[in-house]
Amino acid sequence: MSRGGDKAQRTRHKGWLLAVSCLVIASVACPDVQAHPVLAVPPDYPYVAGFDRFTAQEDDDAKVAEGGLLLLSELNCVSCHAPSTEWKERLPGRAKISLDGVGSRLGEDDIWLFIRSPQHRKKGTLMPGMFAGEDRDPKVVEALVSYLSSLKKEVKKFPKGDVERGRTLYHTVGCVACHDPAAVADYRPAEAPANLEVEEPGHPSYPILLADRYDVNALAAFLKDPLSIRKHGRMPSTELTDQEAADLSAYLHISREPLVVQERTLLAVPKQSVEEGKKQFIAQRCTACHETPSTAEAKPTEQAPGGKAMAELLAGQGCLSTKEKKAGVPDFGLSEFQVRALTLALKMVQASEKPAPQTVAQKSHDFLVRMDCYACHEWRGTGGLEEARSQYLTVYEAAAHSMGEIGRLPPKLDNAGRKLTKEWFEKLLWGSGGGVRGYMTARMPRFGQENTQAFIAGFQEACKAEKPVKMDTSGLAKHHRAENGRALIGVGKGGLGCVSCHGLKDRKSLGVPVVNLTQTARRLQPEYFKELLLNPQVTQPGTLMPPLFIGRKAADKEIEMLWTYLKEIDQSRLPEGLLQTGDYELKPEKAGKPIVFRTFLEGAGMHAVAVGFPQQMHVAFDSLEAHWAIAWKGRFVDAMTTWEERAMTPAKPLGEKVLTFQPRMPFAKLGSASDAWPEACGVAAGYESLGYRISKDGVPTFRYRVEGLIVEDTIQVSADKKSLRRTVTVRTWVPSDGWYFQGISKNAKPQPVIWKNGAATFEESIAP
């Protein structure tokens, strides 16, 4: 895997714009525009990053032929020249580019220029020229322009973009890994040493010359979802918001200049029909690399015939001819080295009925080259972000600088296949929410499910450890208790202090902000987790993780404790160090309305329903025994043990003065008011709770019954807000004598129940 490249190919042609003879551009560029990345000079041949980076002139023929296979696939030669079945896996080609809505993205002149001479309009493009020679019919180009311009699609209106935000985004989220940065006069990288000359990238830039010709909203839409157009994933998605896409679009648009296509005017070709354009689109085999809504459904008989099979091609002819191409022969503008590589690859394909079998490691490497993952990541000593580009990626949090390059650059992939779960690969490659390094400005791009799902299993196989560690994640062993892991991860007694560097849930770490551990059990394979903790530097060279478990006799069990805790983190308390007093305190005074909270509560039992009022007077009802239990003033309750602790230790009223009511039921049958009130309480007294309902103002009314009586019992703050007011209404279908009511206030006395239409109501004032 040579890192060498074709220096001749990397020569920048600073004056190439002058060679675009068909353009007359009338405007005076401002300094910002002159420094703009859109004007970066791309190579003057079809740019395939993996070929340029890993294939060199001095390589032997076998190595150069391997590079040629990459070109056969990336230039989509296979779409016209079918390889044998045995070679198809090595030569997968690229998915078609969608031209749906291209008429809304580009103007007619832009489309005309690009079709007429793609390598001049957008140097480095992989699109071959078909229509620039004297033997071509200009009517065909006009017909294609008519057809493509008719492919309209409503463009979403994005918010107004901000050029400065776009400039910063372009240089920090990762665009510069593939595209050239602006000149230093326009943007100086954050990580470049002060007072030193900023190094320029050595690898060529992916061409973006046509970006400024897009409609500004259409460009934002493309940047937000490039896979909807370029389905092959070579331009990945970076999860931009609408505003970010608009900002980037605004920045890329500042180089836009007036455009007059003089040659088209001089040719004065009559306008061609859309139908003729569609016919030519098929006849010229544009469908080999592009799809449109109408041609995608074209019948096989409407499709133009393909070229010769790959086995029948002759070296030095057709696309590989160094002579001027005739009409009907695609002209890619190949460099001499590319022609040599393609020729050698063609010989390799034609010499063997089927390719030599590849290992999973070789297949993984080929994928990483094809998708240019090596632009950002290093795998087994190959690839990685070029240093001149890496200085643009920085951090959001100053503390992350203490991690050095690990804190701001994309990680190495050496053991990533056995590190990440399949679920997490899917989130990273085509899903969302897989990023765990929020302190970095760089973002992991998405490449699309169809392009990447076949890669995961092979990459995981390629990264398997020779001697995998054993990890018991059953949760059945005695030490598999989340609370054990909680103690270990924290900074309390016996803790390892993991939270000094790692955050959990919404809490940041106590020190350096490295990866938050909340998703660990979903993100990492448990064996890798153990392997990393047992030997961090061997498992992940360069990591800042200290070897905490070296010399610990119970290391295996302790790591399993940590895993159990992280697996159950959604139902466990935060560890010491991250837990803060008042994290879960319920505050009705802030809510501005009553809070009804069911919990285990000291003084009110395991079926307590606490009612907190904004006036900071509170009560709790024992819904098992159907009576009011306590009242208090001041702060309400802390819900931490209820929400975070599996054991659910009873919460405590936070007020300073708690009034405990006598366990006395409100209704009893007596011979007279002077009789002793029954001592039996709740269920033992025949009471049955019927739940509660909440009024529009948030106050609950508890319901219960006893011996045919239905009781509704509510407490709320008095009108003068100085006490609590209790209202009890009792109803029955068959009123009977002998019933008495006694309240819960200190001086309450039995009162006879006097029925009126089968109901009676009592009120009392309670001073908590």
Side-chain angles (χ1 to χ4, degrees), residues 227-258:
L227 297 173
S228 64
I229 296 174
R230 295 175 180 262
K231 299 180 180 180
H232 49 60
R234 273 53 166 187
M235 167 70 186
S237 164
T238 47
E239 287 197 293
L240 298 171
T241 64
D242 281 4
Q243 184 61 61
E244 288 174 335
D247 293 342
L248 269 175
S249 178
Y251 175 57
L252 294 176
H253 244 248
I254 62 174
S255 64
R256 185 182 177 94
E257 296 173 330

Side-chain angles (χ1 to χ4, degrees), residues 397-468:
E397 301 175 43
H401 276 299
S402 61
M403 290 188 281
E405 290 187 348
I406 286 181
R408 62 184 182 84
L409 301 185
K412 294 181 179 179
L413 302 181
D414 285 352
N415 295 318
R418 67 171 184 266
K419 172 182 179 180
L420 300 177
T421 61
K422 181 173 180 288
E423 174 194 357
W424 213 260
F425 268 115
E426 292 173 355
K427 289 171 76 71
L428 286 173
L429 294 175
W430 65 79
S432 62
V436 293
R437 296 177 174 84
Y439 43 87
M440 286 183 177
T441 59
R443 300 179 188 179
M444 171 67 191
R446 308 293 185 264
F447 294 86
Q449 183 173 359
E450 291 189 1
N451 299 313
T452 56
Q453 63 181 351
F455 161 73
I456 298 174
F459 190 56
Q460 289 186 317
E461 180 70 22
C463 293
K464 272 188 175 177
E466 291 184 9
K467 295 181 179 179

Side-chain angles (χ1 to χ4, degrees), residues 605-680:
M606 300 302 195
H607 294 74
V609 181
V611 185
F613 293 99
Q615 296 81 1
Q616 295 194 293
M617 288 182 279
H618 321 294
V619 286
F621 189 83
D622 182 344
S623 62
L624 177 64
E625 299 295 348
H627 67 85
W628 293 103
I630 56 175
W632 68 101
K633 296 177 69 173
R635 293 160 61 198
F636 185 37
V637 293
D638 192 321
M640 183 187 73
T641 57
T642 304
W643 290 346
E644 293 286 348
E645 190 181 286
R646 175 179 282 186
M648 283 188 63
T649 304
K652 296 179 180 179
L654 296 178
E656 297 176 355
K657 185 179 178 182
V658 179
L659 171 64
T660 302
F661 301 121
Q662 289 187 20
R664 183 170 62 207
M665 305 312 292
F667 294 97
K669 272 199 169 184
L670 303 177
S672 70
S674 60
D675 287 355
W677 198 262
E679 293 183 355

Side-chain angles (χ1 to χ4, degrees), residues 330-396:
D331 185 356
F332 287 88
L334 298 168
S335 69
E336 290 184 9
F337 182 43
Q338 287 178 322
V339 172
R340 177 190 162 208
L342 284 164
T343 302
L344 288 170
L346 203 55
K347 287 181 180 178
M348 178 189 285
V349 172
Q350 293 175 344
S352 306
E353 289 187 1
K354 58 182 180 182
Q358 285 186 301
T359 65
V360 286
Q362 289 171 325
K363 290 180 180 179
S364 296
H365 168 69
D366 280 0
F367 174 88
L368 297 174
V369 170
R370 260 196 326 273
M371 303 304 291
D372 203 14
C373 305
Y374 285 134
C376 290
H377 299 284
E378 180 182 321
W379 188 57
R380 299 184 176 177
T382 298
L385 194 60
E386 185 184 6
E387 189 171 343
R389 297 178 187 274
S390 71
Q391 59 194 331
Y392 289 87
L393 305 185
T394 183
V395 296
Y396 291 119

Side-chain angles (χ1 to χ4, degrees), residues 92-109:
R94 294 157 61 112
K96 295 180 179 181
I97 295 174
S98 171
L99 295 181
D100 186 16
V102 67
S104 302
R105 298 195 290 272
L106 291 168
E108 285 194 9
D109 282 348

